[in-house]
Amino acid sequence: MTRIEQWIREEGRQEEKRETARTMLTMGMSPEVIAKATHLPLEEILRMEKETNNRN
């Protein structure tokens, strides 16, 4: 697998984690729990939560 293919695969995984985090936020789960479950940084989850709240 080339480096480009590896990078694309990793980007896909990260986007999947972000989509899971967004879903969990809409389900009312706490950012701390979401960060632990997805292994995304808490700061990123908090930013996503703020963006989600701004849309509503």
Side-chain angles (χ1 to χ4, degrees), residues 1-50:
M1 185 180 315
T2 67
R3 288 181 189 254
I4 292 172
E5 289 170 328
Q6 289 174 343
W7 180 80
I8 291 169
R9 181 175 281 182
E10 183 58 31
E11 282 299 308
R13 286 186 189 125
Q14 290 299 313
E15 187 53 40
E16 233 177 88
K17 288 180 181 183
R18 289 182 197 101
E19 188 57 38
T20 298
R22 285 184 200 96
T23 300
M24 294 171 82
L25 282 168
T26 63
M27 295 171 69
M29 299 181 96
S30 75
E32 292 80 11
V33 168
I34 296 169
K36 285 182 183 178
T38 62
H39 302 282
L40 290 171
L42 179 59
E43 294 78 19
E44 184 171 355
I45 305 299
L46 292 170
R47 181 182 46 76
M48 293 166 78
E49 181 180 46
K50 186 176 180 180

